[in-house]
Amino acid sequence: MNNPARKSFQMLDLERVVWDDDLSSAVTSELVDRESVRPFLVASPSSHKMSAVQMLLNDGPARFAGSFHDIVPHVSRQSVMGLIASVREAQADLIVTIGGGSAIDTVKVALAGLAAGIHIEDDIDRLAIRYTADGERIAPRLQPSRLRQVVAPTTLSGAEFSDLAGCTNVATQVKQLFSGRGIGSASVILDPAITVGTPLDIWLSTGVRSLDHAIETLCSFGSNPYADAISAEAVRRLAPALRRTYQDPSDLGARKEAQLSVWMACIGLNRVPWGASHGLGHQVGAVAGIPHGYCSCILLPHVLAFNRSANADRQALVATAMGSPDGDAGAAVARLVADLGLPSRLRDVGITRDMLSQIAATSMGNMFVRQNPRPIQSADNLQEILDAAF
């Protein structure tokens, strides 16, 4: 991520976004354009069962050199190492990824590992972003990935629009972050038809997750006019699209509108400093296995309330984009979450009070927590947010 003090903005290595084209046709075009002769397919377990994916594997115009669907929520290092081994064995020249954030991030970390020549799981640690005790951010300069991925997302997480990935160390219950040029999407294929089978709560909650992306961009201390304009438009369009899909899950127009809004919502992802909603969400997911979409539904209103003394003017922009003239962004998000029938309390998703102190303590090393608009002085500040969200 660029240093906000430099007043710079780094573009992604994303070459194109395709919409209004079906999955098979779009993938075929990508394979031809990229002259791929040994494509490799990665799909989440549910996506792997889709008829459209099976058609690609069995009846498509290209013969895949291999496939992998051992994807787990929150991305385990074991799954990453399994993918690395499979891609090496297949001698793949391109990866086609179909699924949600876990599938996409598994590929990102694997691409970083392949570029770095990783063969042992523990060596993944040296690729991760970390912080020293005094708050200094250490981001290893990763080797650029020559192997790229073409992504067709089935959720609204927005992972396809970033070069940042999360991977959980199961032994420590800490989610590590990784970033490098070329590990994100080379192309993104937006086909709303392949999303209809995604459970509605996952679709809607990952949509709130991307709304979180846009909101924490707008509320960031390192925001900029370019990201502000695009993020505000994302907020304005995404919330109504989610409400439309909730009312009629078969509305492909609403689904496409949500996908296009997510494209905009991710403009600041790993390029503008975010805050504690994302940072705490990472650790809630790592400790308790809660989907990131649910984390945003529950945590974002309380993080906004905590931060309001530091960025009330920025939060007013969010509230206006969501149609609330009172300037209370947290309340506007909470109303949306309620309208979508999604959880609003940690206790409602299986979090117990004794987990809160562990989540607060382990979140102190998260880069987003370190970048929160209202400085996080200690784990007590995070405990305050968690208690309110409980």
Side-chain angles (χ1 to χ4, degrees), residues 21-22 28 30 48 53 73 80 95 104-105 107 142 156 187 296 305 321 329 345 370-371 384:
D21 204 354
D22 67 89
T28 299
E30 289 294 329
H48 186 260
V53 174
V80 168
I95 296 179
I104 300 165
D105 275 12
V107 176
L142 305 186
L156 295 172
S187 294
S296 289
R345 301 185 304 180
R370 296 284 189 168
Q371 297 167 171
E384 176 185 338

Side-chain angles (χ1 to χ4, degrees), residues 3 39 88 107-109 133 166 198 201 244 246 271 329-330 351 359:
N3 180 353
R88 279 190 177 123
V107 176
K108 289 178 189 174
V109 182
T198 301
D201 63 326
R244 284 174 55 196
Y246 177 72
R271 284 158 285 169
I351 297 291
I359 293 168

Side-chain angles (χ1 to χ4, degrees), residues 119-271:
H119 289 270
I120 300 171
E121 181 181 316
D122 286 346
D123 285 346
I124 292 177
D125 287 333
R126 63 181 171 86
L127 307 180
I129 298 169
R130 61 190 186 278
Y131 277 84
T132 63
D134 59 359
E136 181 187 358
R137 180 175 184 258
I138 300 174
R141 185 176 293 277
L142 305 186
Q143 291 293 322
S145 175
R146 295 189 183 91
L147 184 62
R148 299 301 305 273
Q149 62 171 321
V150 170
V151 178
T154 57
T155 74
L156 295 172
S157 73
E160 63 275 14
F161 293 115
S162 87
D163 53 10
L164 180 73
C167 178
T168 302
N169 184 332
V170 177
T172 62
Q173 290 188 307
V174 171
K175 188 156 194 174
Q176 298 171 299
L177 296 176
F178 304 80
S179 182
R181 302 296 291 178
I183 66 173
S185 308
S187 294
V188 174
I189 298 166
L190 301 178
D191 180 2
I194 68 170
T195 73
V196 174
T198 301
L200 186 59
D201 63 326
I202 298 298
W203 177 260
L204 296 172
S205 62
T206 54
V208 175
R209 180 67 170 177
S210 278
L211 189 70
D212 196 348
H213 300 340
I215 288 173
E216 287 218 312
T217 296
L218 274 170
C219 292
S220 173
F221 66 79
S223 62
N224 61 75
Y226 178 74
D228 282 355
I230 298 173
S231 296
E233 181 69 1
V235 173
R236 188 184 69 80
R237 295 175 61 164
L238 182 52
L242 295 176
R243 286 189 167 100
R244 284 174 55 196
T245 311
Y246 177 72
Q247 293 163 0
D248 181 6
S250 66
D251 185 344
L252 292 185
R255 287 177 177 270
K256 183 172 76 171
E257 174 71 2
Q259 288 182 313
L260 293 171
S261 300
V262 167
W263 179 12
M264 293 182 283
C266 295
I267 189 64
L269 209 169
N270 203 34
R271 284 158 285 169

Side-chain angles (χ1 to χ4, degrees), residues 272-390:
V272 170
W274 284 350
S277 180
H278 282 80
L280 278 172
H282 284 162
Q283 281 311 108
V284 169
V287 170
I290 308 304
H292 282 320
Y294 283 178
C295 295
S296 289
C297 290
I298 296 166
L299 293 170
L300 180 57
H302 299 285
V303 172
L304 287 167
F306 177 85
N307 286 338
R308 196 171 182 187
S309 62
N311 60 2
D313 57 333
R314 309 299 299 178
Q315 293 198 30
L317 298 175
V318 174
T320 298
M322 296 188 72
S324 298
D326 60 4
D328 192 338
V333 173
R335 283 193 295 272
L336 174 64
V337 170
D339 289 349
L340 299 178
L342 295 168
S344 60
R345 301 185 304 180
L346 290 172
R347 69 180 71 181
D348 295 336
V349 294
I351 297 291
T352 57
R353 189 170 286 281
D354 62 297
M355 294 179 181
L356 301 185
S357 59
Q358 179 188 0
I359 293 168
T362 54
S363 294
M364 287 301 296
N366 185 278
M367 78 172 183
F368 295 128
V369 167
R370 296 284 189 168
Q371 297 167 171
N372 193 61
R374 176 182 167 187
I376 301 294
Q377 304 292 349
S378 70
D380 290 343
N381 295 140
L382 299 177
Q383 186 76 41
E384 176 185 338
I385 297 169
L386 293 168
D387 285 340
F390 185 74

